[in-house]
Amino acid sequence: MAYSFERPESFTGALLTPVQMAQADALAGDTARLMEAAGRAIARSIMRRCKKVPVLVLAGPGNNGGDGRVAARYLAWEGWPVRVRDFRTADPAEVARAGLVVDAIFGAGLSRDLDEHTISLLRAAKNLVAVDVPSGLDGASGQVRGFAPQAAFTVTFVRKKPGHLLFPGRALCGEVLLRDIGMPVSIIGRVGPDIWENSPSLFTLPPRDTGGHKYTSGEVTILSGTLPGAARLAAMAARRAGAGMVSLAAADASPLPEAGIILRHDPLDRLLEDPRRLHWVVGPGLGVAAAGVALARLLQTPGLAILADADALTACAGTPKKLRGVCVITPHEGEFTRLFGTIGPDKIAAARRAAALTGAVTVLKGPDTVIAAPEGTAVINANAPPWLATGGTGDVLSGLIAALLTRGMAPFPAACAGVWLHGAAAQEAGPGMLAEDLPSILGHITQG
Ligand SMILES: NC(=O)C1=CN([C@@H]2O[C@H](COP(=O)(O)OP(=O)(O)OC[C@H]3O[C@@H](n4cnc5c(N)ncnc54)[C@H](OP(=O)(O)O)[C@@H]3O)[C@@H](O)[C@H]2O)[C@@H](O)CC1
Ligand SMILES: Nc1ncnc2c1ncn2[C@@H]1O[C@H](COP(=O)(O)OP(=O)(O)O)[C@@H](O)[C@H]1O
Ligand SMILES: [K+]
């Protein structure tokens, strides 16, 4: 399919779960060489970024500890004062005295919660660099198992793990430095990554059709209701993101939108008679009851691409199968919970479950938005700045994704591209932005 999801051949941006990482390790079969490279990379990162202070390496029982011991050897060669302590016998008082603690206790595949002694060691560290992950962090989910320390930075190898991007893990890692230690790309391919960090290498924006007219650029219809500002924000975003025609469909006489948006008061059945009207946004500011009725009506019409958000999701609370036939859903945590139950500790698994159940590409929004396809591929987004957490930005995202659909992108890449461009626009807008600042920026970053 044109403008489909693109998996980079180099597997750049692939995320490996701890299980996949162990598989890669087993396939590579030369742990000693990889560990040597990992330890050297840790030492180099420390020497480049930290001033020379007494270093204490806390070493665990597995390969994470091995990496730390190799790093200590390289640091010592370079004349750094460094000691290595087995985590079982290390003393919190000694940890507290160290200028820099290298946390090489456990890696991303922690199998159970940390015990009290390990927690007391990690709590005592004042300045800590983590090997692979801060010990206690679950690399698959970004959740904390008992305790995990705050790292100044984290050095990881081969590919990032989901826990580096999902909160609270992302915050605890500090900056994540990804280092190549010579793992062959063919081995990464063999373990078959199915989770990716969102980036423009995963999608191609369709070019403008130079010979086209407004209808060939696609038409988006946005239902407007009790809070018409929400639908207008979606409409502004859809227009800037390249939809040829954008209509607001409002049952009541609502405030006049800006020039350029077509306001339709016709009943839904009349609007559906127009065969060009294929792309719909249902939910933002529509009112729950009206959204439920409209969604059901749209779903009776074959061939439509429907994006369901906000009130359309709430209208299906507890009965997510009512969303079957919808193309993309964009729930925030509250809407998701009303639909599918609690997210639980594994945000990727939750998004995948929702996508499989509804058949819709699921955009589970938040600071670490997860996009899941019904067949299971998942993408984690990490470019959204915190000032995006203001009312109305979700409406902008809905209009943006709908415009990308109408320009010919398949639902999954359209959702990935929409979430990425939304974050990029917010970064460009800067702190203090309003949702209504985003569309004009989208105008210049969404062209193919
Ligand atoms: N993959 C790669 O390509 C490369 C990976 N590399 C490095 O390998 C690291 C992964 O290595 P790893 O598999 O040995 O895991 P790691 O965390 O060091 O130790 C597991 C041990 O800890 C134990 N244990 C677990 N939880 C526990 C708890 N709460 N409390 C107490 N014990 C606990 C567990 O015991 P078990 O649960 O089996 O009883 C087991 O004995 C990775 O982070 C990276 O640094 C590099 O060397 C180069 C190439
Ligand atoms: N802390 C945060 N950091 C970055 N992005 C965030 C954060 N919180 C929310 N977002 C993003 O802001 C948008 C908010 O959407 P939503 O919750 O639907 O609000 P609204 O409907 O009021 O616009 C989503 O795209 C979400 O991913
Ligand atoms: K660690």
Side-chain angles (χ1 to χ4, degrees):
M1 183 165 205
Y3 309 115
S4 56
F5 184 69
E6 294 157 25
R7 289 171 180 79
E9 272 176 33
S10 56
F11 295 97
T12 309
L15 302 173
L16 294 178
T17 64
V19 169
Q20 290 170 327
M21 194 66 187
Q23 285 169 350
D25 211 8
L27 287 168
D30 191 357
T31 304
R33 184 180 56 82
L34 294 171
M35 191 180 285
E36 189 69 18
R40 191 169 53 229
I42 298 158
R44 275 201 188 136
S45 303
I46 290 172
M47 290 188 287
R48 217 168 271 162
R49 289 168 170 256
C50 307
K51 56 179 199 293
K52 202 185 260 187
V53 289
V55 177
L56 181 68
V57 176
L58 292 174
N63 292 341
N64 198 254
D67 294 349
R69 291 176 190 276
V70 173
R73 173 157 44 82
Y74 279 94
L75 286 169
W77 274 344
E78 295 295 332
W80 282 53
V82 53
R83 279 169 301 171
V84 180
R85 291 283 180 269
D86 185 302
F87 82 114
R88 283 164 290 211
T89 51
D91 170 20
E94 188 183 12
V95 174
R97 284 194 300 273
L100 177 66
V101 173
V102 176
D103 167 9
I105 302 182
F106 298 120
L110 191 70
S111 53
R112 51 194 180 276
D113 286 4
L114 300 188
D115 63 21
E116 280 310 317
H117 170 68
T118 308
I119 293 174
S120 69
L121 286 180
L122 292 167
R123 270 194 209 284
K126 297 197 179 70
N127 181 23
L128 179 145
V129 170
V131 177
D132 197 21
V133 288
S135 297
L137 192 69
D138 181 329
S141 67
Q143 295 293 310
V144 171
R145 303 207 53 171
F147 177 78
Q150 176 66 53
F153 61 88
T154 295
V155 187
T156 193
F157 318 107
V158 184
R159 292 294 178 274
K160 289 186 202 170
K161 320 297 172 299
H164 291 127
L165 302 183
L166 295 168
F167 282 95
R170 194 200 295 178
L172 290 170
C173 288
E175 189 183 351
V176 177
L177 309 178
L178 175 62
R179 294 293 177 252
D180 181 2
I181 54 170
M183 176 72 76
V185 169
S186 59
I187 288 185
I188 300 173
R190 278 172 70 189
V191 304
D194 53 2
I195 308 173
W196 300 78
E197 178 171 1
N198 203 12
S199 86
S201 60
L202 301 180
F203 53 82
T204 300
L205 294 175
R208 289 306 286 247
D209 175 6
T210 46
H213 55 71
K214 61 184 183 259
Y215 286 110
T216 55
S217 299
E219 176 164 16
V220 174
T221 307
I222 299 167
L223 297 178
S224 176
T226 49
L227 295 171
R232 284 172 62 183
L233 281 170
M236 276 198 272
R239 293 178 67 211
R240 294 285 188 182
M245 288 281 281
V246 176
S247 305
L248 279 181
D252 308 321
S254 19
L256 199 61
E258 60 269 33
I261 293 184
I262 297 160
L263 191 60
R264 302 294 301 255
H265 294 303
D266 315 63
L268 199 46
D269 285 331
R270 172 80 48 77
L271 295 175
L272 283 166
E273 286 166 10
D274 184 343
R276 293 170 303 197
R277 212 178 272 290
L278 293 175
H279 293 89
W280 294 77
V281 176
V282 195
L286 189 53
V288 175
V293 172
L295 180 63
R297 176 67 192 89
L298 291 176
L299 283 171
Q300 288 164 2
T301 312
L304 302 183
I306 303 166
L307 184 148
D309 183 21
D311 292 342
L313 302 177
T314 303
C316 301
T319 50
K321 287 195 175 159
K322 284 188 187 164
L323 289 165
R324 281 201 156 272
V326 163
C327 185
V328 180
I329 60 174
T330 55
H332 58 51
E333 188 180 337
E335 288 152 354
F336 188 95
T337 304
R338 285 197 284 273
L339 270 168
F340 305 103
T342 57
I343 295 175
D346 190 338
K347 194 168 176 178
I348 296 176
R352 281 176 164 161
R353 253 194 329 272
L357 189 65
T358 59
V361 169
T362 299
V363 179
L364 175 47
K365 295 184 293 192
D368 49 1
T369 295
V370 172
I371 305 144
E375 99 320 300
T377 305
V379 165
I380 308 175
N381 191 68
N383 79 337
W387 49 88
L388 207 44
T390 57
T393 56
D395 308 322
V396 169
L397 179 66
S398 291
L400 166 57
I401 295 174
L404 298 174
L405 290 170
T406 195
R407 284 170 61 184
M409 292 182 81
F412 190 59
C416 296
V419 170
W420 174 266
L421 294 164
H422 191 241
Q427 282 182 9
E428 192 171 322
M433 59 146 245
L434 304 176
E436 42 280 54
D437 299 333
L438 294 175
S440 62
I441 300 171
L442 292 174
H444 64 262
I445 64 172
T446 55
Q447 306 311 313

